[in-house]
Amino acid sequence: MFEPGRLHLEHSPVQPPDVAYELIITYAPASSQDGPSMHFQVTGHIAGQPVDESFDLAADLAFNFASSIDHLARRHGLPATQVVPISLHRQYDEMFADIQHKLGRHCGDPVDARHLGKT
């Protein structure tokens, strides 16, 4: 379920190799030494293990939030055969648009090459 600044994802296992998860992703604009950024907080559980992590993405890389959340989920036990369906979720477009709006970014805005490799 999406609302501006928050996405709640939940999955119950369907097949034996699946693991259950419930993730609440909150985000808000922040500021860093490199300029505007987006602060993400991910809480919940994956396979019965608690998740409570945060990370920041520079404004020009905040569009890559789904990849960052997927990497975080892998570190917390989500198997390679399963995905956190953010990019498949219908709320992805709403979250993407909300992040771009909050950061004042638009399609076609440049990416600062110095930020690449920091995600």
Side-chain angles (χ1 to χ4, degrees):
M1 170 186 268
F2 171 79
E3 60 186 64
R6 183 179 188 276
L7 178 65
H8 177 222
L9 297 172
E10 191 169 358
H11 174 74
S12 297
V14 178
Q15 299 177 357
D18 285 356
V19 299
Y21 62 81
E22 180 178 15
L23 297 174
I24 298 172
I25 302 156
T26 57
Y27 57 92
S31 193
S32 71
Q33 63 187 20
D34 290 333
S37 63
M38 186 62 70
H39 178 77
F40 293 85
Q41 180 73 39
V42 181
T43 58
H45 63 82
I46 297 174
Q49 299 300 311
V51 175
D52 187 1
E53 277 198 47
S54 63
F55 61 92
D56 295 298
L57 292 173
D60 56 340
L61 299 181
F63 64 86
N64 201 25
F65 64 90
S67 175
S68 297
I69 293 167
D70 185 66
H71 289 260
L72 181 150
R74 302 267 171 240
R75 288 194 310 271
H76 286 276
L78 190 72
T81 57
Q82 194 173 340
V83 297
V84 175
I86 294 174
S87 61
L88 306 175
H89 218 271
R90 73 180 199 283
Q91 287 98 354
Y92 170 84
D93 289 337
E94 293 173 294
M95 186 172 169
F96 182 91
D98 187 45
I99 288 170
Q100 295 295 77
H101 173 75
K102 289 179 183 319
L103 293 171
R105 302 282 302 172
H106 302 87
C107 289
D109 284 350
V111 172
D112 186 334
R114 294 175 296 170
H115 295 157
L116 297 175
K118 289 187 176 184
T119 59

